[in-house]
Amino acid sequence: MTVNNMYTFMNESNWEALVPLYFFIISISAGSLMIASLSTVFGMKHYDVLVRPAAFTSLIALALAPLFLILDLQQPMRFLYVINPLNFNVHSPMSWGGWLLILYGITLVLFAMRFITGSASSQAVAETAATASGDNKVLNTLVFIFALLLSAYPGFELGVIKAKVLWNTELLPVYFITTSLLAGLAILILAVRFTAKKELSEKLVSSAKTLAISLIVISLIWIASRSIILATSGLESQLAVQTLWSSGWFVVGELVLGLLAPLALLLFGNVNKNRTVFTVVSVLLLIGVFSMRYSLVFAGLAAVMP
């Protein structure tokens, strides 16, 4: 007599919404600093007005991000274990990520100190922003490099998981960098408009508009090419792209609200004359960036062969 044993394996993850929220907050912090680096590192002076808001936005976001990660881990000691140098594992993305957060945090605090200790007058702020792009060039460059790496890090962390075909691509970090820049630009536009109570200069609006359109187009190209590659590959890849395109967070949140709607507003909304349009675009971009992280995480988890 032959006995056949049947087993059911559940591909269930303990990940919750805190994980994409953590990725989103990190993107705001790193993206803000990368946008500010257009002034401090690359010498584009019309971005000076965004440097001070970027310093504070990045600090606040960086302070919040580990809280979401610790809450997801449920045991705070696990986070301390990851950043303990004695426990560093060169083969672990978590170990690299923990230390990247620390190094980024140190350079960010040093970068922001000039604004924290400086005068709050508009003239002093302008002078401090100009100083930030002139002096401490090494520090400014280091902050930019760490921000760039931190924005790409979630893509590396997910990309090394070979069992999840939706994540397993070398280009995923590039997509995280692109969308982090969108998040940083959006949050800084909102910060300047509602906190600093300043009107954006025409040159800044024009440059930011071109940058936003370019980043959106790059994102759409990435989505199209990635979808085509998955759809024309094996059964597992086809299941992955079907799962992604079945997600409302992806189709509605990221694609429609986060990319296509802002692109249409930027192209046809006369941003240069009506700055309110740029405010709406910024809000939509933030919705899109969060939706991207949410849909990518959970569609990637769900896309497994039965």
Side-chain angles (χ1 to χ4, degrees):
M1 181 176 66
T2 301
V3 178
N4 294 323
N5 294 323
M6 297 183 65
Y7 300 90
T8 300
F9 295 92
M10 301 298 293
N11 190 71
E12 184 176 355
S13 172
N14 292 325
W15 283 11
E16 298 178 357
L18 291 172
V19 173
L21 187 57
Y22 164 71
F23 289 158
F24 175 65
I25 298 299
I26 282 296
S27 296
I28 287 178
S29 179
S32 297
L33 253 297
M34 288 192 291
I35 294 297
S37 295
L38 293 175
S39 167
T40 60
V41 177
F42 298 99
M44 301 172 69
K45 299 303 182 182
H46 47 285
Y47 282 91
D48 281 353
V49 69
L50 301 182
V51 176
R52 186 172 187 269
F56 289 103
T57 300
S58 299
L59 271 178
I60 294 171
L62 185 64
L64 290 175
L67 296 179
F68 293 110
L69 184 60
I70 291 171
L71 287 173
D72 179 71
L73 292 173
Q74 296 179 353
Q75 298 181 18
M77 294 304 295
R78 291 181 181 177
F79 183 75
L80 297 178
Y81 180 88
V82 170
I83 63 176
N84 187 337
L86 298 178
N87 300 323
F88 182 78
N89 181 0
V90 69
H91 302 292
S92 171
M94 288 292 291
S95 291
W96 285 104
W99 276 98
L100 181 57
L101 273 174
I102 293 173
L103 293 173
Y104 171 73
I106 293 172
T107 54
L108 174 57
V109 169
L110 293 175
F111 175 83
M113 284 300 295
R114 71 197 73 175
F115 300 101
I116 296 174
T117 58
S119 170
S121 68
S122 58
Q123 182 178 357
V125 169
E127 291 175 353
T128 304
T131 302
S133 60
D135 299 339
N136 300 317
K137 192 72 173 182
V138 174
L139 176 61
N140 296 336
T141 304
L142 282 176
V143 171
F144 168 72
I145 292 173
F146 286 134
L148 181 67
L149 292 174
L150 188 62
S151 67
Y153 166 70
F156 287 115
E157 187 175 23
L158 297 177
V160 298
I161 305 177
K162 295 183 178 180
K164 305 297 183 183
V165 67
L166 186 62
W167 301 339
N168 191 221
T169 169
E170 293 82 357
L171 293 179
L172 190 57
V174 177
Y175 191 42
F176 270 91
I177 292 173
T178 302
T179 51
S180 293
L181 285 167
L182 283 174
L185 181 62
I187 200 70
L188 291 180
I189 294 297
L190 293 176
V192 171
R193 292 217 65 192
F194 292 105
T195 303
K197 304 294 183 181
K198 291 182 179 179
E199 279 297 329
L200 302 173
S201 68
E202 185 174 346
K203 187 174 183 179
L204 174 58
V205 170
S206 178
S207 178
K209 174 184 174 180
T210 301
L211 177 60
I213 291 174
S214 301
L215 293 171
I216 290 172
V217 170
I218 292 171
S219 298
L220 290 172
I221 292 173
W222 191 93
I223 290 173
S225 60
R226 182 67 176 149
S227 297
I228 292 172
I229 290 172
L230 289 174
T232 55
S233 300
L235 290 177
E236 189 176 2
S237 298
Q238 293 171 10
L239 174 63
V241 73
Q242 289 173 8
T243 304
L244 179 64
W245 280 87
S246 298
S247 169
W249 283 96
F250 169 70
V251 176
V252 179
E254 179 183 359
L255 190 58
V256 176
L257 294 179
L259 293 174
L260 294 178
L263 180 61
L265 288 172
L266 288 170
L267 290 175
F268 308 109
N270 201 356
V271 175
N272 292 326
K273 292 184 178 180
N274 187 357
R275 304 298 165 81
T276 303
V277 175
F278 219 154
T279 302
V280 175
V281 167
S282 298
V283 172
L284 290 174
L285 288 176
L286 290 174
I287 292 173
V289 173
F290 175 76
S291 298
M292 174 265 177
R293 279 131 181 83
Y294 192 96
S295 62
L296 187 69
V297 167
F298 290 108
L301 289 172
V304 291
M305 296 295 290

